[in-house]
Amino acid sequence: MPHSTPDVAIVGAGPAGLMAAETAAAAGLRVAVFDHTPTPARKLLLAGRGGLNLTHSEPLDRFLPRYGAAEPLFRRLLAGFPPDDLRGWAAGLGIETFVGSSGRIFPVQMKASTLVRAWLRRLDGLGVTLHSRHRWTGWDEAGALTFRHDGESVTVAPRASLLALGGASWPRTGSDGGWAPLLEGLGVEVAPLAPSNMGFEVPWSDHLRDRFAGQPVKSVGLSAVDRSGAGRRLKGEFVITETGIEGGAVYALSAPLRDAIAAEGWATLTLDLLPDMAEAELVRRLRRRGAESLSTFLKKSLSLTGPRAALLREFAPAADLSDPVALARQIKGLAMVLTGVRPIERAISSAGGVRLSELDERLMLARRPGLFLAGEMLDWEAPTGGYLLQGCFAMGVAAGKGMVKWLGMKDSGTE
């Protein structure tokens, strides 16, 4: 059963897909969006439960390195749709934003649902049609897109197509990575999908797990070294879980830790339990301990209690606890061994996907002219903090403009 033929068919109703739909429709193209879930933007709505961190306020010279190896691509994408443009776009929907104390940018109402409703109204006004419960199954012999809907096969033959199907995290929202074999069948190189912005497994003692699972570890320094020897250090907090650790500061370092575990079977996350105190001052104070018990002294003189003190006892060698110099070294550089990565289904986002080298500057697949890709199904990753959504929105704008440009060139005979 064929659908009416649009100029552009977009498969995937997430941030990248819907932004591409808006961009193409605003240029006068007839756009249809297909998604296999019952409602659009489900992952965006789930992400918005914590307030919908749209983007970040830091300058681009600090923003862009968050994309790691994909920084050259995002330097171009964010030049076309920077954070200020995203805030302006939200304002055009009636959604005012503010900069939080951490520099992150949120809607004033702290709701994703309000933004999504306003966005869908705008798309409807632009003539964009939304088709739910359509699972993409590939192409037919003529090259038309094929879908499964209500037990029937549906074909759509647009002039240009965009796949924005997400990675493989949060599969209940529609991102399950099922698209990978279909693209690999075209000869497209796809990097294995892996968890990103996820928790890690730590072999806790029964004492630590029973006493501190569920508790946050606040105001600590964290550092990790990647396989090239480059390191990154930050200050933040994380949560002790039954199986290990999770939380924003851990997510920011997840890529090098994940890669180390994949290569070696384990990784080291180094903690500074007192990041605002110099090691020399710490040694000076520890030498004044006297006859007090270690736990009492750490509490009274260093305010080192609860989960932080428990972590010190969990990982520091017992011999170091009685030596002021060795103990100071442990407090400032406690090595926590991570032995596993939490599954991709529990991750906030995913790494891997279609290699960026498969795409041209318009985000069109070189092996299949007229087929564009965007969003998390491409091989890039970024930490939480607004960088993920900013990247997806900017990629959607670029893909939408790419389709408009390509169709214009095709119509003019200068393809």
Side-chain angles (χ1 to χ4, degrees):
M1 181 178 69
H3 267 293
S4 59
T5 304
D7 294 316
V8 170
I10 293 173
V11 187
L18 293 180
M19 187 59 87
E22 178 178 338
T23 303
L29 297 177
R30 291 175 293 113
V31 179
V33 178
F34 300 85
D35 197 276
H36 81 261
T37 63
T39 54
R42 297 187 78 180
K43 195 168 185 179
L44 185 63
L45 290 168
L46 185 58
R49 291 189 307 180
L52 191 61
N53 181 193
L54 283 172
T55 185
H56 202 286
S57 63
E58 66 186 1
L60 286 180
D61 62 345
R62 290 173 54 197
F63 200 116
L64 289 168
R66 309 295 189 187
Y67 296 101
E71 179 180 347
L73 169 64
F74 284 94
R75 184 172 298 277
R76 177 168 57 84
L77 295 178
L78 267 64
F81 194 73
D84 284 346
D85 283 6
L86 179 52
R87 296 187 74 181
W89 169 83
L93 293 175
I95 308 298
E96 296 302 319
T97 55
F98 73 97
V99 180
S101 58
S102 63
R104 301 182 181 197
I105 294 173
F106 300 88
V108 170
Q109 293 182 317
M110 299 292 284
K111 288 183 179 180
S113 57
T114 305
L115 182 146
V116 169
R117 285 195 297 269
W119 196 4
L120 294 178
R121 286 195 297 270
R122 173 183 286 179
L123 292 172
D124 184 63
L126 289 169
V128 175
T129 57
L130 294 172
H131 304 274
S132 62
R133 304 181 190 276
H134 281 67
R135 179 176 286 276
W136 179 58
T137 55
W139 298 271
D140 66 12
E141 294 180 356
L145 295 167
T146 59
F147 299 88
R148 198 70 183 167
H149 173 65
D150 288 345
E152 296 185 7
S153 180
V154 174
T155 60
V156 181
R159 300 168 61 208
S161 306
L162 169 69
L163 301 181
L165 291 159
S169 64
W170 294 359
R172 65 185 183 279
T173 68
S175 300
D176 58 12
W179 47 265
L182 293 170
L183 290 178
E184 288 171 330
L186 299 178
V188 174
E189 187 177 359
V190 179
L193 294 169
S196 182
N197 292 297
M198 68 294 184
F200 292 88
E201 295 176 355
V202 181
W204 299 126
S205 65
D206 291 341
H207 170 75
L208 190 140
R209 181 186 299 107
D210 293 343
R211 287 285 304 277
F212 297 103
Q215 293 195 29
V217 182
K218 297 183 177 181
S219 299
V220 293
L222 302 91
S223 59
V225 177
D226 65 23
R227 297 178 68 187
S228 70
R232 187 181 173 204
R233 176 184 171 85
L234 56 88
K235 183 178 178 181
E237 65 179 71
F238 61 91
V239 176
I240 296 172
T241 70
E242 291 279 346
T243 57
I245 56 174
E246 62 181 34
V250 173
Y251 301 155
L253 298 172
S254 62
L257 294 171
R258 176 198 63 220
D259 294 345
I261 291 172
E264 306 293 339
W266 59 277
T268 299
L269 176 63
T270 303
L271 303 179
D272 183 345
L273 300 176
L274 293 172
D276 298 324
M277 184 178 295
E279 187 170 332
E281 171 62 15
L282 188 52
V283 171
R284 188 183 69 81
R285 294 194 186 191
L286 288 169
R287 281 178 171 157
R288 298 186 347 226
R289 173 180 162 189
E292 285 183 305
S293 69
L294 179 60
S295 59
T296 298
F297 182 82
L298 293 177
K299 179 179 180 180
K300 288 184 176 180
S301 299
L302 301 175
S303 298
L304 196 58
T305 60
R308 288 186 300 161
L311 289 171
L312 179 64
R313 290 187 178 276
E314 184 84 353
F315 294 106
D320 288 355
L321 298 179
S322 58
D323 181 328
V325 174
L327 180 55
R329 191 177 302 121
Q330 290 293 335
I331 291 172
K332 297 296 290 182
L334 187 66
M336 177 189 292
V337 176
L338 314 179
T339 57
V341 176
R342 298 297 292 157
I344 194 169
E345 295 83 4
R346 302 290 300 274
I348 290 176
S349 58
S350 59
V354 175
R355 299 284 190 188
L356 300 180
S357 58
E358 296 279 357
L359 307 174
D360 68 11
E361 70 282 356
R362 297 165 294 190
L363 300 182
M364 186 169 74
L365 197 62
R367 298 174 187 271
R368 199 178 185 99
L371 179 61
F372 295 73
L373 307 179
E376 272 193 68
M377 64 185 298
L378 300 183
D379 185 16
W380 65 282
E381 62 180 312
T384 57
Y387 311 104
L388 283 165
L389 276 180
Q390 175 69 53
C392 287
F393 281 120
M395 208 175 272
V397 170
K401 290 180 177 179
M403 289 186 288
V404 171
K405 181 178 179 181
W406 186 75
L407 288 175
M409 294 171 66
K410 186 176 180 182
D411 290 343
S412 67
T414 57
E415 184 180 339

